[in-house]
Amino acid sequence: GQQLNQSPQSMFIQEGEDVSMNCTSSSIFNTWLWYKQDPGEGPVLLIALYKAGELTSNGRLTAQFGITRKDSFLNISASIPSDVGIYFCAGPHGSGAGSYQLTFGKGTKLSVIP
Amino acid sequence: GAVVSQHPSWVICKSGTSVKIECRSLDFQATTMFWYRQFPKQSLMLMATSNEGSKATYEQGVEKDKFLINHASLTLSTLTVTSAHPEDSSFYICSARVRGRSSYNSPLHFGNGTRLTVT
């Protein structure tokens, strides 16, 4: 099946620092999604990317859809304590309207030191 | 918008009993809902795809007779864990997509998950 390789697995950063994480795949994806999951909760969509080369921002978050359609990165600028959580990349697979499924990366656990 | 509500948020049950988890789309209709399972410190693994008015599609290795899915309406899907065992203890999360939107332009929205503990 399709796999998404996410790195780094975890990172500890100082409050105020910028963060960068990425996701790669051996397969082409037509959409890249970035989610954040807080402990004990479901994932929350941060950014959705639909076109190769697309660069999209959501507040302090910026994500890009790689030109090859096999990778994506997520940047967080000026990190704050509430950025703590696990960040997942995800891409859809399957065919037919209404039936696509998501494959998730293994996640990047972010810890912010105040 | 696009709120998915899951109930209960946590449940403890005895081994051998059955547990039902509900997933509702509160402000939209969802012809398709997905059920995921997440073990501690691991990623989300798709268990099954729930289609309104038809049988669910299960991923390889997921027992359909153990994890019963019923998608009876456009806003409700249920997952019943039958004859639960301690190894079924996990975090179960449902997700849904807004009805009518094309596959690749409509991200999934997730519920807050259900923590199941089987003793």
Side-chain angles (χ1 to χ4, degrees), chain A residues 26-84:
Chain A
S26 57
S27 307
I28 287 175
F29 281 91
N30 292 315
T31 299
W32 283 93
L33 307 170
W34 285 94
Y35 287 87
K36 182 192 178 199
Q37 186 179 28
D38 291 328
E41 298 186 13
V44 173
L45 181 66
L46 299 174
I47 292 179
L49 302 162
Y50 301 112
K51 198 190 308 184
E54 179 181 356
L55 184 71
T56 298
S57 293
N58 177 6
R60 293 178 296 106
L61 277 62
T62 302
Q64 183 156 31
F65 192 152
I67 291 291
T68 64
R69 292 196 285 159
K70 292 184 178 181
D71 65 318
S72 175
F73 72 74
L74 174 71
N75 286 344
I76 305 173
S77 63
S79 59
I80 59 178
S82 61
D83 290 334
V84 166

Side-chain angles (χ1 to χ4, degrees), chain A residues 31 35 37 50 94 98 100 105, chain B residues 32 34 38 43 97 103-104 106 108:
Chain A
T31 299
Y35 287 87
Q37 186 179 28
Y50 301 112
Y100 86 92
Chain B
T32 305
F34 303 88
Q38 185 179 34
S43 188
R97 188 171 69 250
S103 298
Y104 295 99
S106 182
L108 293 184

Side-chain angles (χ1 to χ4, degrees), chain A residues 30-31 33 35 37 40-45 48 50 86 88 92-107 109, chain B residues 31-32 34 36 38 41-46 49 51 57 59 91 93 97 101-113 115:
Chain A
N30 292 315
T31 299
L33 307 170
Y35 287 87
Q37 186 179 28
E41 298 186 13
V44 173
L45 181 66
Y50 301 112
I86 302 178
F88 291 101
H93 64 95
S95 60
S99 65
Y100 86 92
Q101 301 151 351
L102 279 186
T103 296
F104 281 83
K106 291 191 185 302
K109 184 176 180 180
Chain B
T31 48
T32 305
F34 303 88
Y36 289 82
Q38 185 179 34
K41 298 184 180 180
Q42 293 190 23
S43 188
L44 287 79
M45 298 300 295
L46 181 66
T49 302
N51 301 296
T57 305
E59 294 300 296
F91 193 52
I93 312 173
R97 188 171 69 250
R101 297 204 181 159
S102 63
S103 298
Y104 295 99
N105 285 315
S106 182
L108 293 184
H109 300 278
F110 286 82
N112 269 340
R115 171 73 58 194

Side-chain angles (χ1 to χ4, degrees), chain B residues 35-39 42-47 61-62 67 87-93:
Chain B
W35 287 95
Y36 289 82
R37 180 166 54 184
Q38 185 179 34
F39 290 107
Q42 293 190 23
S43 188
L44 287 79
M45 298 300 295
L46 181 66
M47 297 176 65
V62 179
F67 298 100
E87 56 264 32
D88 297 325
S89 299
S90 187
F91 193 52
Y92 293 85
I93 312 173

